[in-house]
Coordinates of all heavy atoms in Angstrom, one line a residue:
M4 N 117.2 147.4 83.2 CA 118.6 146.9 83.6 C 119.2 148.1 84.5 O 119.7 147.7 85.6 CB 119.4 146.7 82.3 CG 120.7 146.1 82.7 SD 120.7 144.3 83.1 CE 122.3 143.9 83.0
A5 N 119.2 149.2 84.0 CA 119.9 150.3 84.8 C 119.0 150.6 86.0 O 119.6 150.7 87.2 CB 119.8 151.7 84.0
N6 N 117.7 150.6 86.0 CA 116.9 150.7 87.2 C 117.1 149.7 88.2 O 117.2 150.0 89.3 CB 115.4 150.8 86.8 CG 115.0 152.0 86.2 OD1 115.6 153.1 86.3 ND2 113.7 152.1 85.6
A7 N 117.3 148.4 87.8 CA 117.4 147.3 88.6 C 118.8 147.5 89.4 O 118.8 147.2 90.6 CB 117.5 146.0 87.8
S8 N 119.9 148.0 88.8 CA 121.1 148.0 89.4 C 121.1 149.2 90.4 O 121.7 149.1 91.5 CB 122.3 148.2 88.3 OG 122.2 149.5 87.8
I9 N 120.3 150.3 90.1 CA 120.2 151.3 91.1 C 119.5 151.0 92.4 O 120.0 151.2 93.4 CB 119.5 152.6 90.3 CG1 120.4 153.3 89.4 CG2 119.1 153.6 91.4 CD1 119.7 154.2 88.4
R10 N 118.5 150.1 92.2 CA 117.7 149.7 93.2 C 118.6 148.7 94.2 O 118.5 148.8 95.4 CB 116.4 149.0 92.8 CG 115.3 149.1 93.8 CD 114.2 148.5 93.3 NE 114.2 148.1 91.9 CZ 113.1 148.0 91.0 NH1 111.9 148.1 91.5 NH2 113.3 147.7 89.8
Y11 N 119.3 148.0 93.5 CA 120.3 146.9 94.2 C 121.3 147.8 95.0 O 121.5 147.5 96.1 CB 120.9 146.2 93.2 CG 121.8 145.0 93.7 CD1 121.1 144.0 94.4 CD2 123.2 145.1 93.7 CE1 121.9 143.0 95.0 CE2 123.9 144.1 94.1 CZ 123.4 143.1 94.9 OH 124.2 142.1 95.4
G12 N 121.8 148.8 94.4 CA 122.8 149.6 95.1 C 122.2 150.3 96.4 O 122.9 150.4 97.4
A13 N 121.0 150.8 96.2 CA 120.4 151.4 97.3 C 120.1 150.5 98.4 O 120.3 150.9 99.6 CB 119.1 152.0 96.9
T14 N 119.7 149.3 98.1 CA 119.5 148.3 99.2 C 120.7 148.0 100.0 O 120.7 147.9 101.3 CB 118.9 146.9 98.5 OG1 117.8 147.3 97.6 CG2 118.5 146.0 99.7
I15 N 121.8 147.7 99.2 CA 123.0 147.4 100.0 C 123.5 148.6 100.8 O 123.9 148.5 101.9 CB 124.2 147.2 98.8 CG1 123.8 146.0 98.1 CG2 125.6 147.1 99.5 CD1 124.1 144.7 98.7
R16 N 123.5 149.9 100.3 CA 123.8 151.1 101.1 C 122.8 151.1 102.4 O 123.4 151.5 103.5 CB 123.5 152.2 100.3 CG 124.9 153.1 100.1 CD 124.7 154.5 99.4 NE 123.5 154.6 98.6 CZ 123.5 154.6 97.3 NH1 124.7 154.1 96.7 NH2 122.6 154.7 96.6
K17 N 121.6 150.9 102.2 CA 120.7 151.0 103.3 C 121.1 149.9 104.4 O 121.1 150.3 105.6 CB 119.3 150.7 102.8 CG 118.2 151.6 103.5 CD 117.0 151.5 102.4 CE 115.7 151.8 103.3 NZ 114.5 151.5 102.4
R18 N 121.3 148.8 103.9 CA 121.7 147.7 104.8 C 123.0 148.0 105.5 O 123.1 147.8 106.7 CB 121.9 146.4 104.0 CG 121.8 145.1 105.0 CD 121.9 143.9 104.3 NE 120.7 143.7 103.4 CZ 120.7 142.8 102.4 NH1 121.7 142.1 102.0 NH2 119.6 142.7 101.6
Y19 N 123.9 148.5 104.8 CA 125.2 148.8 105.4 C 125.1 149.9 106.5 O 125.7 149.9 107.6 CB 126.1 149.4 104.3 CG 127.5 149.8 104.8 CD1 128.3 148.9 105.3 CD2 127.8 151.2 104.8 CE1 129.6 149.3 105.8 CE2 129.0 151.6 105.3 CZ 129.9 150.7 105.8 OH 131.2 151.1 106.3
Q20 N 124.2 151.0 106.1 CA 123.9 152.0 107.2 C 123.4 151.5 108.3 O 123.7 152.0 109.5 CB 123.1 153.1 106.5 CG 123.9 154.2 106.0 CD 123.1 155.2 105.3 OE1 121.7 155.1 105.2 NE2 123.6 156.4 104.8
K21 N 122.5 150.5 108.3 CA 121.7 150.0 109.4 C 122.8 149.3 110.3 O 122.8 149.6 111.6 CB 120.7 149.1 108.9 CG 119.6 148.8 110.1 CD 118.6 147.7 109.5 CE 117.8 147.4 110.8 NZ 117.6 146.0 110.9
I22 N 123.6 148.5 109.8 CA 124.6 147.8 110.5 C 125.6 148.7 111.2 O 125.9 148.6 112.4 CB 125.4 146.8 109.6 CG1 124.5 145.7 109.1 CG2 126.6 146.3 110.3 CD1 125.0 144.7 108.0
K23 N 126.0 149.8 110.5 CA 126.8 150.8 111.0 C 126.2 151.5 112.2 O 126.9 151.7 113.2 CB 127.2 151.8 109.8 CG 128.6 152.2 109.8 CD 128.9 153.0 108.6 CE 128.7 154.5 108.8 NZ 129.1 155.3 107.7
M24 N 124.9 151.9 112.0 CA 124.2 152.5 113.1 C 124.1 151.7 114.3 O 124.4 152.1 115.5 CB 122.8 152.9 112.7 CG 122.7 154.3 112.2 SD 121.2 154.7 111.4 CE 120.1 154.5 113.0
E25 N 123.7 150.4 114.2 CA 123.6 149.6 115.3 C 125.0 149.3 116.0 O 125.0 149.3 117.3 CB 123.2 148.1 114.8 CG 121.7 148.1 114.6 CD 121.1 146.9 113.9 OE1 121.9 146.0 113.6 OE2 120.0 146.8 113.7
K26 N 126.1 149.2 115.3 CA 127.3 149.1 115.9 C 127.7 150.4 116.7 O 128.5 150.3 117.7 CB 128.5 148.9 114.8 CG 128.6 147.5 114.4 CD 129.7 147.3 113.5 CE 129.9 145.9 113.1 NZ 131.0 145.7 112.1
R27 N 127.3 151.5 116.2 CA 127.6 152.8 116.9 C 126.7 153.2 118.0 O 127.0 154.1 118.8 CB 127.7 153.9 115.9 CG 128.9 153.9 115.0 CD 128.9 154.9 113.9 NE 128.9 156.1 114.3 CZ 128.8 157.2 113.6 NH1 128.5 157.1 112.3 NH2 128.7 158.5 114.1
T28 N 125.6 152.4 118.1 CA 124.6 152.7 119.1 C 125.1 152.5 120.5 O 125.9 151.6 120.9 CB 123.3 151.9 119.0 OG1 122.9 151.9 117.7 CG2 122.3 152.2 120.1
L29 N 124.9 153.6 121.4 CA 125.3 153.6 122.8 C 124.2 153.0 123.7 O 123.0 153.4 123.5 CB 125.7 154.9 123.3 CG 127.0 155.6 122.5 CD1 127.2 156.9 123.0 CD2 128.1 154.7 122.9
Y30 N 124.5 151.9 124.4 CA 123.5 151.3 125.2 C 123.6 151.8 126.6 O 124.6 152.4 127.1 CB 123.7 149.9 125.2 CG 123.2 149.2 123.9 CD1 124.2 149.2 122.8 CD2 122.0 148.7 123.7 CE1 123.8 148.7 121.6 CE2 121.6 148.1 122.5 CZ 122.5 148.2 121.4 OH 122.0 147.7 120.3
H31 N 122.4 151.7 127.3 CA 122.3 152.2 128.7 C 123.2 151.4 129.7 O 123.0 150.2 129.7 CB 120.8 152.2 129.0 CG 120.6 152.7 130.5 ND1 120.6 154.1 130.6 CD2 120.4 152.2 131.7 CE1 120.4 154.3 131.9 NE2 120.3 153.2 132.6
C32 N 124.0 152.1 130.5 CA 124.8 151.4 131.4 C 124.0 151.3 132.7 O 123.6 152.3 133.3 CB 126.1 152.1 131.6 SG 127.2 151.4 132.9
E33 N 123.9 150.0 133.3 CA 123.2 149.8 134.5 C 124.0 150.4 135.7 O 123.4 150.6 136.8 CB 122.9 148.4 134.7 CG 121.7 147.9 133.7 CD 121.6 146.4 133.8 OE1 121.9 145.8 134.8 OE2 121.1 145.8 132.9
V34 N 125.2 150.4 135.5 CA 126.1 150.8 136.7 C 126.1 152.3 136.9 O 126.0 152.7 138.1 CB 127.5 150.2 136.5 CG1 128.5 150.7 137.6 CG2 127.5 148.7 136.3
C35 N 126.4 153.1 135.9 CA 126.6 154.5 136.0 C 125.3 155.2 135.6 O 125.2 156.5 135.7 CB 127.9 155.0 135.4 SG 127.8 155.0 133.6
G36 N 124.4 154.5 134.8 CA 123.2 155.2 134.4 C 123.3 156.0 133.2 O 122.3 156.7 132.8
R37 N 124.4 156.0 132.4 CA 124.6 156.7 131.3 C 124.5 155.9 130.0 O 124.7 154.7 130.1 CB 126.0 157.4 131.4 CG 126.1 158.6 132.2 CD 127.5 159.0 132.4 NE 127.7 159.9 133.5 CZ 127.8 161.1 133.4 NH1 127.9 161.7 132.3 NH2 128.0 161.9 134.4
D38 N 124.1 156.5 128.9 CA 124.1 155.7 127.7 C 125.4 155.8 127.0 O 125.8 156.7 126.2 CB 123.1 156.4 126.8 CG 121.6 156.2 127.2 OD1 121.4 155.1 128.0 OD2 120.8 156.9 126.9
A39 N 126.3 154.9 127.5 CA 127.7 155.0 127.1 C 128.3 153.6 126.9 O 129.6 153.5 126.7 CB 128.5 155.8 128.2
V40 N 127.5 152.7 126.7 CA 128.0 151.3 126.5 C 128.2 151.1 125.0 O 127.2 151.2 124.3 CB 127.1 150.2 127.2 CG1 127.6 148.8 126.9 CG2 127.0 150.5 128.6
R41 N 129.4 150.7 124.6 CA 129.7 150.5 123.1 C 130.2 149.2 123.1 O 131.0 148.6 123.9 CB 130.7 151.6 122.7 CG 130.1 152.6 121.8 CD 131.2 153.7 121.5 NE 132.2 153.2 120.5 CZ 133.1 153.9 120.0 NH1 133.2 155.0 120.4 NH2 134.0 153.4 119.2
R42 N 130.0 148.6 121.9 CA 130.5 147.3 121.5 C 132.1 147.4 121.3 O 132.7 148.3 120.6 CB 129.9 146.8 120.2 CG 130.4 145.4 119.8 CD 129.5 144.9 118.7 NE 130.1 143.7 118.1 CZ 131.0 143.7 117.0 NH1 131.2 144.9 116.4 NH2 131.5 142.6 116.5
K43 N 132.8 146.5 122.1 CA 134.3 146.5 122.0 C 134.9 145.5 121.2 O 135.6 145.7 120.4 CB 134.8 146.3 123.6 CG 136.2 146.9 123.7 CD 136.7 146.6 125.1 CE 138.1 147.0 125.3 NZ 138.6 146.5 126.5
N44 N 134.3 144.3 121.4 CA 134.7 143.1 120.5 C 133.5 142.3 120.4 O 132.3 142.7 120.8 CB 135.6 142.2 121.5 CG 137.1 142.7 121.2 OD1 137.4 142.8 120.1 ND2 137.8 142.7 122.3
T45 N 133.5 141.2 119.7 CA 132.4 140.3 119.5 C 131.9 139.9 120.8 O 132.6 139.3 121.6 CB 132.8 139.1 118.6 OG1 133.4 139.5 117.5 CG2 131.5 138.3 118.3
S46 N 130.6 140.2 121.2 CA 130.1 139.9 122.4 C 130.5 140.5 123.7 O 130.1 140.2 124.8 CB 130.1 138.3 122.7 OG 129.5 137.6 121.6
I47 N 131.5 141.4 123.4 CA 132.0 142.2 124.7 C 131.6 143.6 124.4 O 131.8 144.4 123.4 CB 133.5 142.1 124.7 CG1 133.9 140.6 124.9 CG2 134.1 142.9 126.0 CD1 133.4 140.0 126.3
W48 N 131.0 144.2 125.4 CA 130.5 145.6 125.4 C 131.2 146.3 126.6 O 131.3 145.8 127.7 CB 129.0 145.7 125.6 CG 128.3 145.0 124.4 CD1 128.2 143.6 124.3 CD2 127.6 145.7 123.3 NE1 127.5 143.4 123.1 CE2 127.2 144.6 122.6 CE3 127.4 146.9 123.0 CZ2 126.4 144.8 121.3 CZ3 126.7 147.2 121.8 CH2 126.2 146.1 121.1
E49 N 131.6 147.6 126.5 CA 132.2 148.2 127.5 C 131.6 149.7 127.7 O 131.3 150.3 126.7 CB 133.8 148.4 127.3 CG 134.5 148.9 128.5 CD 135.9 149.2 128.1 OE1 136.3 149.9 127.3 OE2 136.8 148.6 128.9
C50 N 131.3 150.1 128.8 CA 130.9 151.4 129.2 C 132.0 152.4 129.2 O 133.1 152.2 129.9 CB 130.3 151.5 130.5 SG 129.8 153.3 131.0
K51 N 131.9 153.4 128.3 CA 133.0 154.4 128.0 C 133.2 155.2 129.4 O 134.3 155.7 129.6 CB 132.7 155.4 126.9 CG 132.8 154.8 125.6 CD 132.8 155.8 124.5 CE 131.5 156.7 124.6 NZ 131.5 157.8 123.6
H52 N 132.1 155.2 130.1 CA 132.1 156.3 131.2 C 132.7 155.6 132.5 O 133.6 156.1 133.1 CB 130.7 156.7 131.5 CG 130.6 157.8 132.6 ND1 131.1 159.0 132.4 CD2 130.3 157.6 133.9 CE1 130.9 159.7 133.5 NE2 130.4 158.9 134.4
C53 N 132.2 154.4 132.8 CA 132.7 153.8 134.1 C 133.5 152.5 133.9 O 133.9 151.8 134.8 CB 131.5 153.4 135.1 SG 130.4 152.1 134.4
K54 N 133.8 152.1 132.6 CA 134.5 151.0 132.1 C 134.0 149.6 132.5 O 134.7 148.8 132.6 CB 136.0 151.1 132.7 CG 136.7 152.4 132.4 CD 136.9 152.6 130.8 CE 137.6 153.9 130.5 NZ 137.4 154.2 129.2
T55 N 132.7 149.6 132.9 CA 132.1 148.3 133.2 C 132.0 147.5 131.8 O 131.7 148.0 130.8 CB 130.7 148.5 133.7 OG1 130.7 149.3 135.0 CG2 130.0 147.2 134.0
V56 N 132.4 146.2 132.0 CA 132.3 145.4 130.7 C 131.1 144.5 130.9 O 130.8 143.8 131.9 CB 133.5 144.5 130.7 CG1 133.5 143.5 129.6 CG2 134.8 145.5 130.6
Y57 N 130.4 144.5 129.8 CA 129.2 143.6 129.6 C 129.4 142.4 128.5 O 130.2 142.7 127.6 CB 127.9 144.5 129.2 CG 127.5 145.4 130.3 CD1 128.0 146.7 130.2 CD2 126.6 145.1 131.3 CE1 127.5 147.7 131.1 CE2 126.2 146.0 132.1 CZ 126.7 147.3 132.0 OH 126.3 148.3 132.8
A58 N 128.8 141.3 128.7 CA 128.8 140.4 127.7 C 127.5 140.3 127.0 O 126.4 140.4 127.7 CB 129.2 139.0 128.2
G59 N 127.3 140.3 125.7 CA 126.1 140.2 125.1 C 126.2 139.8 123.7 O 127.2 139.0 123.4
G60 N 125.3 140.1 122.9 CA 125.3 139.6 121.4 C 126.3 140.3 120.6 O 126.9 141.3 121.1
A61 N 126.6 139.9 119.4 CA 127.6 140.4 118.6 C 127.2 141.8 118.2 O 128.1 142.7 118.1 CB 127.9 139.5 117.4
Y62 N 126.0 142.1 118.0 CA 125.5 143.3 117.3 C 124.5 144.1 118.2 O 124.4 145.3 118.2 CB 124.9 143.2 116.0 CG 126.0 142.7 115.0 CD1 126.1 141.4 114.7 CD2 127.0 143.7 114.6 CE1 127.0 141.0 113.8 CE2 127.9 143.3 113.8 CZ 128.1 141.9 113.3 OH 129.0 141.6 112.5
T63 N 123.9 143.5 119.2 CA 123.0 144.0 120.2 C 123.4 143.5 121.7 O 123.9 142.4 121.6 CB 121.6 143.9 119.9 OG1 121.3 142.4 119.9 CG2 121.2 144.5 118.5
M64 N 122.9 144.2 122.5 CA 123.4 143.9 123.9 C 122.6 142.8 124.4 O 123.0 142.1 125.4 CB 123.5 145.0 124.8 CG 125.0 145.3 125.3 SD 124.9 146.7 126.4 CE 124.3 146.1 128.0
T65 N 121.3 142.7 124.1 CA 120.4 141.8 124.8 C 120.5 140.4 124.1 O 120.2 140.1 123.1 CB 119.0 142.2 124.7 OG1 119.0 143.6 124.2 CG2 118.4 142.2 126.0
T66 N 120.8 139.4 125.0 CA 120.8 138.0 124.6 C 120.2 137.3 125.8 O 120.4 137.7 126.9 CB 122.2 137.3 124.3 OG1 123.0 137.6 125.4 CG2 122.7 138.0 123.1
P67 N 119.6 136.0 125.6 CA 119.1 135.3 126.8 C 120.2 135.0 127.8 O 119.9 135.0 128.9 CB 118.4 134.1 126.1 CG 118.2 134.5 124.7 CD 119.2 135.5 124.3
A68 N 121.3 134.7 127.3 CA 122.5 134.4 128.3 C 123.1 135.6 128.9 O 124.1 135.4 129.7 CB 123.4 133.5 127.5
G69 N 122.6 136.7 128.5 CA 123.4 137.9 128.8 C 123.6 138.2 130.4 O 124.6 138.6 130.8
S70 N 122.5 137.9 131.1 CA 122.6 138.3 132.6 C 123.4 137.2 133.3 O 124.3 137.6 134.2 CB 121.1 138.2 133.1 OG 120.6 136.8 132.9
A71 N 123.6 136.0 132.8 CA 124.4 135.1 133.5 C 125.9 135.4 133.2 O 126.6 135.4 134.1 CB 124.1 133.6 132.9
A72 N 126.2 135.7 131.8 CA 127.5 136.2 131.6 C 127.9 137.4 132.3 O 129.0 137.5 132.8 CB 127.6 136.5 130.2
K73 N 127.1 138.4 132.5 CA 127.3 139.6 133.2 C 127.6 139.3 134.7 O 128.7 139.9 135.2 CB 126.1 140.5 133.2 CG 126.3 141.9 133.6 CD 125.1 142.8 133.6 CE 125.1 143.7 134.8 NZ 123.8 144.1 135.2
R74 N 126.9 138.4 135.4 CA 127.3 138.1 136.7 C 128.7 137.5 136.8 O 129.4 137.8 137.7 CB 126.3 136.9 137.1 CG 125.1 137.6 137.8 CD 124.3 136.6 138.8 NE 124.0 135.4 138.1 CZ 122.9 135.1 137.4 NH1 122.1 136.0 137.2 NH2 122.7 133.9 136.8
L75 N 129.0 136.6 135.8 CA 130.3 136.0 135.7 C 131.4 137.0 135.7 O 132.4 137.1 136.4 CB 130.3 135.1 134.6 CG 131.5 134.2 134.5 CD1 131.3 133.0 135.5 CD2 131.7 133.5 133.1
I76 N 131.3 138.0 134.8 CA 132.2 139.0 134.6 C 132.4 139.9 135.8 O 133.4 140.3 136.3 CB 131.8 139.9 133.3 CG1 132.1 139.2 132.1 CG2 132.6 141.3 133.3 CD1 131.6 139.7 130.8
E77 N 131.2 140.2 136.4 CA 131.3 141.0 137.7 C 132.1 140.3 138.8 O 132.7 140.9 139.5 CB 129.8 141.4 138.1 CG 129.3 142.5 137.4 CD 127.8 142.8 137.7 OE1 127.2 142.0 138.5 OE2 127.3 143.9 137.2
G78 N 131.8 139.0 138.8 CA 132.5 138.2 139.8 C 134.0 138.2 139.6 O 134.8 138.4 140.5
I79 N 134.5 138.2 138.3 CA 135.9 138.2 138.0 C 136.4 139.6 138.4 O 137.6 139.7 139.0 CB 136.2 138.0 136.5 CG1 135.7 136.3 136.2 CG2 137.5 138.2 136.1 CD1 135.5 136.2 134.8
K80 N 135.8 140.6 138.1 CA 136.2 142.0 138.4 C 136.4 142.3 139.8 O 137.4 142.9 140.2 CB 135.1 142.9 137.8 CG 135.7 144.3 137.3 CD 134.6 145.1 136.7 CE 134.9 146.6 137.0 NZ 133.7 147.4 136.6
T81 N 135.5 141.7 140.6 CA 135.6 142.1 142.1 C 136.5 141.1 142.7 O 137.1 141.5 143.8 CB 134.1 142.1 142.7 OG1 133.4 140.9 142.2 CG2 133.3 143.4 142.4
G82 N 136.6 139.9 142.3 CA 137.3 138.9 143.0 C 138.7 139.0 142.4 O 139.7 139.0 142.9
Ligands
ZN112 ZN1 128.9 153.0 132.9

């Protein structure tokens, strides 16, 4: 009983740490070349360095629709 609860707690902690780490991960910015892209909102990522905004997944930056969304955002930014 005691052993089981300890193992359960460890699993939750581990999973929480993993999510936390993924959220804090800095991604490579294609515009300025620095690893400074951070998740800003759900599906919105922003480079701390050059302020470029990327659209991506909620927890990671790479999604199949990512490149299309990126083009759209770039179009709004320049136009
Ligand atoms: Zn950048």
Side-chain angles (χ1 to χ4, degrees):
M4 188 71 169
N6 279 349
S8 74
I9 285 164
R10 211 174 349 198
Y11 184 69
T14 306
I15 296 288
R16 238 192 332 271
K17 222 167 157 183
R18 193 178 300 165
Y19 175 70
Q20 254 174 7
K21 199 185 169 224
I22 291 166
K23 225 169 91 178
M24 264 176 63
E25 279 170 0
K26 277 188 177 176
R27 285 173 67 184
T28 304
L29 294 175
Y30 286 84
H31 184 77
C32 177
E33 288 172 26
V34 176
C35 68
R37 285 167 194 258
D38 290 334
V40 180
R41 250 175 74 177
R42 184 169 164 264
K43 198 185 176 191
N44 270 311
T45 307
S46 304
I47 300 294
W48 300 72
E49 188 186 60
C50 176
K51 286 195 300 178
H52 186 74
C53 68
K54 305 295 178 198
T55 299
V56 175
Y57 295 91
Y62 294 102
T63 57
M64 238 179 84
T65 350
T66 58
S70 56
K73 198 186 136 200
R74 270 202 306 274
L75 192 74
I76 285 171
E77 277 173 355
I79 292 164
K80 207 176 148 190
T81 44

